[in-house]
Amino acid sequence: MELPELAARWMHALTSTAYIPLSYAEIEQALLDALARLPESPESVADRLVSLHATGPDSLRATIEVLSPTFGLAPLARLSSAYAQAMRMDAFDQQEQIKVAIVRAKQRVERTLKVSQARFREVFDSAALGIVITDLTGRCVEANDTLAEIVGLRSGADLTDRDLRDFYHPEDMAALGASYRKVSEGHLDRFRDQRKLVRADGEPVWVHLVVSVLRDADGDPTHHVTMVEDISELHLLQRNLDHQLLHDSLTGLSNRQHFVSQLERQLDGTPITLYHLGLDAFSVVNNGLGHETGDKLLKIVARRLTKLAHDKKAVLARIGGDEFALVAVADNVTSTIVEIQDALGEATFVDDHGIALSASIGVVDRPPAFVTAAELMRCANAALRQAKARGKRQWALHDPHDDARRRGKYALASSMPGAWEHGEIEIVYAPVHDLETGEVLGAVARLHWDHLSHNDLMALADSTGLSLPIGRWLLREACAQAARWAGEFGDRAPALHIALGALQSRDEDLVADVKGALDETGLPAERLRIALDISSVLAGDDNALVLHDSGIVTALDGFRGGHDELAVLTEVPVRSVITRAPAPAPGSRLRRAMRDLIATVHSFGVRFGVDEVHTPDDAEHWRSAGADGVIGLLPALSAAEVTALLARAASPPPGAS
């Protein structure tokens, strides 16, 4: 048989007995080379078979069966003997390799263990946390110096064989013992807690504990590992921060947040009375004697109110700059208020100044059980505002009905910006009538929103500061509309009247706003009439003078006929005054007085107008009293309705030539 064919048969026989990590072609070539060497060197062929990993249990038998027909007994015997020897040597080599690998692995493990132990020892000894290993009974097996320092000992060795429970605070003994048992029993992997330990000198120390368990190879717990962090300073700082968070830094009294929480606890069905105090004229002390003196006075007030609160077993707080709150079991409100005023009214010397104070007080007495603390505070504040409106040293009892009315008003004031933003506030025009001729002298631009009149709306806007931007908008839009009327209807277009609110009347930018509106819209200055709130002129504001010098006709709105107001007419050049007084009844003394007042106004060369006159009878009463014009006799119209009326008046009647 040819050697290539014999090599192929040998290859198929060997691969069926052992895994040889070569391709068939590579195996066949290796065997072909071996066949060439077999007669002279059977030993090299045996070595080659072992190196090829043809070392299966039947590999030698398959080799003899394939080669015996071609080769004689002698080379095959030498091959078999050499194959057995090569197998033994290969086994020896593998055993040596395993031995070397085991030794090296052992060396690596020992080295790793040594490094790990060194790392553990370094962490254990140098950790900023106290670390202790205890057995399950609590006996200390090993502890570091940091823990010894925390508990007042010199070194960790002093803790060895001592019971860690000796350092537990008596109050925490039961709780800590239960937590350790839960970890030992496997109910918890670890637990964290803040507790007090007792140092060797008997002083308590606050610590943060983290406790876990060590287990043996079978998973059974053998030791506890406890890490301890000294947080005494942090705990003290936290207590100070908590106190600062809940107390006023100046007086030491509870602050609003703390007081509200205490007030909530008082709402348990027991009748209570809440007093909200606002010191009268405290700003006079601050502005006149300085804030340092004011702070000293606040401390004195706090001490006096604290004594009063202690006597009444009440809760006291400073809830604002010069505002205090006191809640007590309901008693005689009047007598308590007298006691408060007496305590505050006693003069005391602060920085050589004898000072005494009074307070305005809002009272909520015996509120319903379902009311919340926040609502109680709001009601007391509303009552305080009502008391302050009455003057100094006053008090007011919360009236739910009056409060509901005021809240409705405040709700409207709060929603005005949104209504303006969404176009719900419109500009309407009310005609100004001459009482003698009945002629329409002009149109007053007014704001209209829902059911509110212009004056009510401006009063609400003044309370929120919206009157300035909305007043500028009214001025600009009304001037633009008046300019369009003047361009379309010429002299038949009505003159534009605008009445300003109190804030806008004394605004520093008023003159610039008026001039800017005229320049922007092209409205001639002589077609504009500006009525300023008379209080701004009485306060010395010069907007009326500057507007007059700019060629704009001015009037005074809110005229009541007082001496100061009449004196203003001799100093400020105005065309007219406007009042909102009710129409005087015929034949009454008030009618005669009003006629005399109007005659006096006329003597200054000033016209007298009346706003909010809605009936012909009232208009006639005013005409007979001497008034010159009225506003409100006809309903206010939108700009489009005024334009339509002017257009109809300008059109010739049907059939006219």
Side-chain angles (χ1 to χ4, degrees):
M1 181 181 299
E2 297 293 331
L3 292 182
E5 182 181 356
L6 181 59
R9 291 183 58 189
W10 193 10
M11 182 269 295
H12 288 296
L14 284 178
T15 55
S16 66
T17 63
Y19 170 71
I20 300 175
L22 295 174
S23 66
Y24 285 169
E26 291 174 330
I27 297 172
E28 187 174 344
Q29 182 61 47
L31 295 179
L32 181 61
D33 294 341
L35 288 175
R37 296 193 304 272
L38 180 61
E40 293 80 16
S41 181
E43 291 80 7
S44 64
V45 174
D47 291 340
R48 182 57 176 160
L49 288 176
V50 173
S51 66
L52 289 175
H53 298 288
T55 57
D58 296 326
S59 296
L60 181 61
R61 179 186 57 78
T63 297
I64 298 301
E65 289 176 354
V66 171
L67 298 182
S68 59
T70 305
F71 296 94
L73 180 61
L76 294 179
R78 290 172 59 191
L79 172 66
S80 299
S81 176
Y83 181 85
Q85 180 62 25
M87 285 286 289
R88 284 195 298 273
M89 295 306 298
D90 184 61
F92 290 153
D93 289 342
Q94 291 183 12
Q95 290 174 358
E96 185 63 24
Q97 291 174 2
I98 293 173
K99 177 182 176 182
V100 171
I102 291 173
V103 170
R104 289 178 178 174
K106 181 174 180 294
Q107 290 173 344
R108 284 197 300 271
V109 170
E110 289 175 346
R111 186 164 54 250
T112 301
L113 180 60
K114 185 176 181 180
V115 172
S116 177
Q117 289 175 338
R119 288 176 179 171
F120 169 76
R121 177 54 55 189
E122 180 63 24
V123 171
F124 190 85
D125 292 339
S126 63
L129 300 177
I131 305 175
V132 59
I133 299 175
T134 58
D135 62 20
L136 298 183
T137 66
R139 183 181 62 86
C140 296
V141 176
E142 190 173 8
N144 63 0
D145 293 344
T146 304
L147 179 61
E149 182 180 352
I150 292 174
V151 298
L153 299 177
R154 286 183 296 180
S155 69
D158 295 334
L159 280 164
T160 304
D161 291 330
R162 292 192 61 171
D163 196 325
L164 186 62
R165 290 173 294 184
D166 293 343
F167 299 96
Y168 292 175
H169 194 279
E171 297 176 358
D172 298 330
M173 185 74 72
L176 282 174
S179 297
Y180 271 93
R181 283 193 298 274
K182 288 180 180 179
V183 172
S184 301
E185 295 168 0
H187 300 302
L188 294 174
D189 292 333
R190 64 184 56 83
F191 76 86
R192 304 171 185 268
D193 206 350
Q194 287 188 16
R195 293 291 177 178
K196 282 189 294 186
L197 299 182
V198 180
R199 290 168 49 92
D201 57 9
E203 289 295 321
V205 55
W206 278 94
V207 296
H208 190 125
L209 298 174
V210 180
V211 179
S212 57
V213 69
L214 295 178
R215 299 180 183 275
D216 60 16
D218 297 326
D220 297 326
T222 59
H223 295 84
H224 288 121
V225 178
T226 303
M227 289 185 287
V228 183
E229 180 183 9
D230 186 351
I231 59 170
S232 297
E233 293 184 1
L234 182 62
H235 184 75
L236 179 61
L237 177 61
Q238 183 65 50
R239 291 187 61 184
N240 290 337
L241 289 176
D242 290 343
H243 185 274
Q244 293 176 19
L245 182 65
L246 299 176
H247 292 78
D248 174 51
S249 60
L250 179 65
T251 63
L253 298 178
S254 296
N255 60 14
R256 175 183 287 271
Q257 179 183 355
H258 192 207
F259 181 76
V260 170
S261 64
Q262 292 175 301
L263 183 58
E264 288 173 344
R265 289 194 289 270
Q266 296 275 350
L267 299 176
D268 57 358
T270 304
I272 61 171
T273 304
L274 174 61
Y275 301 87
H276 189 170
L277 288 67
L279 300 181
D280 293 330
F282 183 70
S283 59
V284 174
V285 177
N286 275 338
N287 296 329
L289 302 178
H291 287 274
E292 184 177 354
T293 300
D295 289 346
K296 292 178 181 178
L297 184 59
L298 284 175
K299 293 179 181 179
I300 294 172
V301 169
R303 286 198 296 269
R304 292 180 179 179
L305 291 179
T306 298
K307 183 178 183 304
L308 178 65
H310 181 268
D311 294 341
K312 290 185 169 294
K313 296 181 174 56
V315 178
L316 175 67
R318 182 188 178 202
I319 59 175
D322 61 352
E323 295 185 4
F324 297 82
L326 184 145
V327 61
V329 176
D331 58 358
N332 188 296
V333 172
T334 304
S335 63
T336 299
I337 289 175
V338 171
E339 292 177 36
I340 293 173
Q341 298 290 15
D342 289 345
L344 298 179
E346 181 182 350
T348 186
F349 280 87
V350 181
D351 297 334
D352 297 327
H353 301 285
I355 305 173
L357 288 176
S358 62
S360 298
I361 306 173
V363 182
V364 181
D365 188 37
R366 294 174 173 83
F370 57 82
V371 72
T372 64
E375 177 64 12
L376 263 183
M377 294 296 291
R378 190 202 64 78
C379 293
N381 182 265
L384 175 61
R385 302 282 82 79
Q386 188 177 355
K388 283 183 175 290
R390 297 175 181 174
K392 309 299 182 186
R393 203 183 176 91
Q394 299 296 312
W395 68 279
L397 192 64
H398 176 253
D399 181 352
H401 302 291
D402 181 68
D403 184 38
R405 180 182 61 80
R406 291 175 183 272
R407 289 190 71 181
K409 176 182 175 181
Y410 297 148
L412 281 175
S414 300
S415 61
M416 275 187 67
W420 182 32
E421 179 73 20
H422 290 90
E424 298 175 19
I425 298 178
E426 302 173 337
I427 300 176
V428 295
Y429 299 87
V432 180
H433 286 87
D434 185 290
L435 285 175
E436 194 62 37
T437 65
E439 178 185 0
V440 175
L441 301 176
V444 180
R446 292 185 160 173
L447 297 174
H448 176 73
W449 177 39
D450 199 11
H451 61 282
L452 293 177
S453 68
H454 173 83
N455 296 324
D456 290 339
L457 196 151
M458 289 305 295
L460 289 178
D462 276 346
S463 68
T464 61
L466 185 64
S467 57
L468 290 182
I470 204 171
R472 295 188 187 107
W473 173 74
L474 170 64
L475 176 65
R476 186 175 59 254
E477 294 295 321
C479 285
Q481 182 60 59
R484 288 193 289 270
W485 285 333
E488 185 174 353
F489 302 108
D491 293 340
R492 289 181 291 102
L496 176 63
H497 296 247
I498 297 179
L500 306 180
L503 290 180
Q504 193 177 13
S505 295
R506 55 177 175 267
D507 183 22
E508 294 288 341
D509 298 325
L510 174 61
V511 176
D513 290 339
V514 173
K515 289 183 177 180
L518 293 177
D519 293 341
E520 181 182 337
T521 62
L523 179 69
E526 60 271 14
R527 301 196 67 84
L528 178 62
R529 312 283 189 268
I530 295 291
L532 295 95
D533 188 85
I534 197 168
S535 63
S536 67
V537 181
L538 290 173
D541 189 87
D542 62 352
N543 278 337
L545 288 171
V546 179
L547 288 173
H548 178 269
D549 293 342
S550 302
I552 298 171
V553 177
T554 57
L556 297 180
D557 193 16
F559 183 77
R560 293 180 177 83
H563 177 273
D564 292 344
E565 295 177 346
L566 291 173
V568 164
L569 300 182
T570 65
E571 302 168 359
V572 180
V574 295
R575 173 75 63 84
S576 59
V577 296
I578 303 170
T579 187
R580 291 183 179 80
S588 65
R589 294 180 180 178
L590 181 59
R591 180 186 179 86
R592 292 194 295 271
M594 189 60 72
R595 285 186 62 88
D596 293 339
L597 174 62
I598 294 174
T600 302
V601 171
H602 285 162
S603 69
F604 294 120
V606 177
R607 293 170 60 83
F608 193 94
V610 186
D611 194 1
E612 296 184 2
V613 177
H614 301 297
T615 67
D617 288 342
D618 287 344
E620 176 57 27
H621 291 327
W622 280 113
R623 187 197 66 78
S624 62
D628 300 292
V630 293
I631 304 170
L633 195 56
L634 293 177
L637 304 175
S638 67
E641 291 171 329
V642 173
T643 302
L645 284 177
L646 292 173
R648 285 199 297 270
S651 302
S657 59

